[in-house]
Amino acid sequence: MKSSLNRRLAVFALAASVAAIAACGQQATNITVLTGGTSGIYYPIGVGISQLIDKNMQNVRSSVQATKATVENANLIEAGRGEVAIGLADTVDDAYKGNQEIGFDKPLTKLRAIANAYPNYVQIVARADSGIHSLADLKGKRISVGAPKSGTEVNARTIFKAAGMSYDDMTVEFLPYAESVELMKNRQLDATLQSSGLGMAAYRDLAATLPIAFVPVSEDVVGTIGNAAYQVGVIPANTYDGQTEDVPTVKIPNLLFTSSDVDEQTVYEITRAIFENLDQLVSAHAAAQAISLENAPKDLPIPLHPGAERYYREKGLLE
């Protein structure tokens, strides 16, 4: 009896050991979410997406990487150094086609869309005592236009060109959100242009520190751009302290995108994790309130990834 019991225990121990070895051999899939600077909105949105991936996907480890935003994100995705990224639709389109002027020496043909997300708004802020009330008033002034060849900087050049201006008309610094705001506080800049979701932390901080004025971008200027990604938008009154009126401006859709090298099942599960838990993503940042399942597969400048396409077909959003 004792010998039989020992044999059964030995068999059980062997089975447990085999199961443990098999479990150890199952390596977790790493998913890196590429965002932007930590003082912008891409970063908290990316953190929220990463948390949804960890919570809703099995055998996955997700991490968030702060970057210089769209241009860097597109290059990293193409190089296989990230699985999910956030970026401006116009710049992602330039990356896919290969626009050398903004840093894409060849087309980044692996880029694939996951979803049309929320819009960025071009937000041009000046110190209230700078005398800047219009785009024309920026001439001769000191302005920051975002990191070099970032999506924000591409937006800046596009808008100034449509308004009949260029960087030659101003003293231009190429700095991201937080650095630009610090220079504004120190009176080393007159204005800064940032492309971001509404309610960005850096501008909330600035508005709480000193009086500011928002510079409008008129509908005529938006129409002159001639690019469907650039749409008429409004920064609603009271989005920031002291901003008591609506401000007309430009809005540009943001995309969630990935690489064709990421397998279909993984992207399907990422898409499902996001859109079946949108209420939780809104808690990461209010800008996510503008993300909707119905709009997710619409107006995409690059091909849709098959994994995301499968999810949208299941939801009846694609024929």
Side-chain angles (χ1 to χ4, degrees):
M1 177 73 73
K2 184 175 180 180
S3 175
S4 175
L5 177 61
N6 287 340
R7 282 198 301 272
R8 287 199 298 273
L9 289 173
V11 169
F12 177 78
L14 177 62
S17 297
V18 170
I21 292 170
C24 290
Q26 257 190 336
Q27 292 185 342
T29 299
N30 293 311
I31 295 177
T32 300
V33 182
L34 307 172
T35 60
T38 55
S39 60
I41 291 180
Y42 283 2
Y43 189 80
I45 293 288
V47 170
I49 290 171
S50 178
Q51 291 171 343
L52 292 181
I53 288 171
D54 280 338
K55 185 176 179 180
N56 294 281
M57 294 177 65
Q58 294 184 344
N59 202 35
V60 162
R61 273 199 306 259
S62 179
S63 61
V64 178
Q65 181 175 335
T67 70
K68 294 178 182 177
T70 308
V71 174
E72 184 178 8
N73 290 352
N75 283 316
L76 289 172
I77 288 289
E78 182 77 8
R81 295 170 59 192
E83 286 68 44
V84 179
I86 310 174
L88 284 162
D90 62 316
T91 307
V92 174
D93 184 32
D94 284 332
Y96 185 74
K97 293 174 180 175
N99 185 336
Q100 294 182 354
E101 185 180 352
I102 61 172
F104 301 114
D105 294 334
K106 61 180 181 179
L108 305 187
T109 57
K110 292 183 180 181
L111 302 185
R112 296 292 183 271
I114 296 175
N116 190 333
Y118 66 93
N120 261 21
Y121 292 78
V122 172
Q123 302 173 59
I124 309 174
V125 172
R127 294 197 330 270
D129 62 0
S130 67
I132 299 171
H133 304 288
S134 67
L135 289 174
D137 291 337
L138 290 169
K139 292 181 179 180
K141 301 294 187 178
R142 299 163 297 175
I143 181 171
S144 174
V145 294
K149 295 183 178 179
S150 64
T152 286
E153 197 261 316
V154 171
N155 292 165
R157 276 190 283 138
T158 301
I159 289 166
F160 291 150
K161 181 179 178 180
M165 300 165 60
S166 75
Y167 288 165
D168 292 338
D169 296 314
M170 300 159 270
T171 300
V172 176
E173 299 288 345
F174 299 91
L175 300 168
Y177 300 165
E179 289 88 338
S180 299
V181 165
E182 286 306 308
L183 290 182
M184 290 274 287
K185 291 179 183 178
N186 295 332
R187 305 180 67 82
Q188 293 173 279
L189 283 177
D190 299 304
T192 180
L193 179 153
Q194 302 295 344
S195 181
S196 177
L198 297 174
M200 59 180 289
Y203 275 7
R204 289 203 308 269
D205 176 38
L206 181 63
T209 304
L210 54 80
I212 58 174
F214 279 79
V215 179
V217 180
S218 71
E219 188 172 339
D220 288 343
V221 170
V222 180
T224 302
I225 293 170
N227 183 329
Y230 287 77
Q231 304 163 6
V232 173
V234 173
I235 303 170
N238 302 311
T239 299
Y240 301 97
D241 288 349
Q243 180 227 334
T244 58
E245 297 181 353
D246 290 350
V247 179
T249 191
V250 179
K251 66 178 182 179
I252 303 112
N254 281 303
L255 299 181
L256 299 178
F257 62 101
T258 184
S259 167
S260 58
D261 289 342
V262 182
D263 68 89
E264 179 180 329
Q265 185 63 24
T266 297
V267 176
Y268 171 83
E269 291 180 11
I270 290 170
T271 310
R272 182 173 63 182
I274 293 169
F275 285 99
E276 295 189 1
N277 299 279
L278 271 180
D279 58 331
Q280 297 174 43
L281 190 56
V282 169
S283 68
H285 198 284
Q289 291 175 342
I291 302 175
S292 73
L293 176 60
E294 291 73 19
N295 289 331
K298 296 178 181 177
D299 302 322
L300 301 172
I302 60 174
L304 187 61
H305 191 285
E309 181 180 348
R310 172 153 65 98
Y311 179 76
Y312 298 135
R313 287 191 186 282
E314 287 182 0
K315 293 298 181 180
L317 298 173
L318 297 174
E319 295 181 359

